[in-house]
Amino acid sequence: MNLIDYLPVVPDFPKPGIFFRDISPLLANPIAFQHAIDQMSLLALEFEFSHILGIESRGFIFASALAYRNQKGLALARKPNKLPQASHRQSFGLEYGNDSLELQQAALPADAKVLIIDDVLATGGTIVAAKKLLESAGFRIAGALSLLEIRFLNGLQLLNQHQIEHKTVLTV
């Protein structure tokens, strides 16, 4: 199955000049979604981890399925002001602006070793921010996993600079 067939490009979204990969068709097709999770689960086996961190919002979908499949705990990296309890915060830049991620302070046990999950590796800023967020909270990082890498945005270079091992199912 060629998963890229289920990830169409939407030009000029969320702003002009950005080519957005839409995961909705993949999620709408149960066979394609199952195949994506199967492939991500196989890659996850290459890491040693106790918990998964899903990055808001599309990373939540893949992270929750992987946590279930791999019987691991799940924590969520949320956009600012979405968490009800005390949280850690990390700001970062995107290819189309700036943002922040937050992690609830009580989300993970002290000895957690965390695999970061996002749907797409673009510039790498979001995954680097998630790593910094986890490290500032005292957690160890196992690595990162994405469904898709957009190679021309050079996100893998940034992850390598921050010593983040990364695996991906697809590269375009």
Side-chain angles (χ1 to χ4, degrees), residues 56-67:
E56 187 165 335
S57 65
R58 300 180 334 159
F60 290 175
I61 298 164
F62 297 97
S64 61
L66 288 168

Side-chain angles (χ1 to χ4, degrees), residues 76 78-87 102-106:
L76 304 176
R78 300 290 317 263
K79 301 286 174 133
N81 305 312
K82 302 280 185 188
L83 296 170
Q85 297 180 19
S87 61
E102 293 184 350
L103 173 67
Q104 208 157 271
Q105 288 178 2

Side-chain angles (χ1 to χ4, degrees), residues 119-142:
D119 64 324
V120 175
L121 170 61
T123 63
T126 307
I127 291 175
V128 169
K131 177 188 188 241
K132 290 178 179 179
L133 176 66
L134 288 164
E135 287 178 338
S136 72
F139 302 111
R140 295 174 294 142
I141 311 306

Side-chain angles (χ1 to χ4, degrees), residues 55-115:
I55 298 175
E56 187 165 335
S57 65
R58 300 180 334 159
F60 290 175
I61 298 164
F62 297 97
S64 61
L66 288 168
Y68 173 79
R69 171 74 55 87
N70 293 288
Q71 298 181 338
K72 302 291 183 179
L74 175 67
L76 304 176
R78 300 290 317 263
K79 301 286 174 133
N81 305 312
K82 302 280 185 188
L83 296 170
Q85 297 180 19
S87 61
H88 303 279
R89 178 182 279 199
Q90 182 66 48
S91 296
F92 63 100
L94 292 164
E95 57 272 28
Y96 49 84
N98 294 307
D99 212 341
S100 295
L101 290 176
E102 293 184 350
L103 173 67
Q104 208 157 271
Q105 288 178 2
L108 294 165
D111 62 345
K113 187 170 185 182
V114 184
L115 180 62

Side-chain angles (χ1 to χ4, degrees), residues 28-40:
N29 184 303
I31 295 168
F33 183 51
Q34 180 178 3
H35 186 70
I37 295 304
D38 288 346
Q39 294 303 303
M40 291 180 82

Side-chain angles (χ1 to χ4, degrees), residues 5 39 48 52 68 80 88 116 124 163 169:
D5 294 340
Q39 294 303 303
E48 182 184 324
I52 288 176
Y68 173 79
H88 303 279
I116 300 166
Q163 300 174 335
V169 174

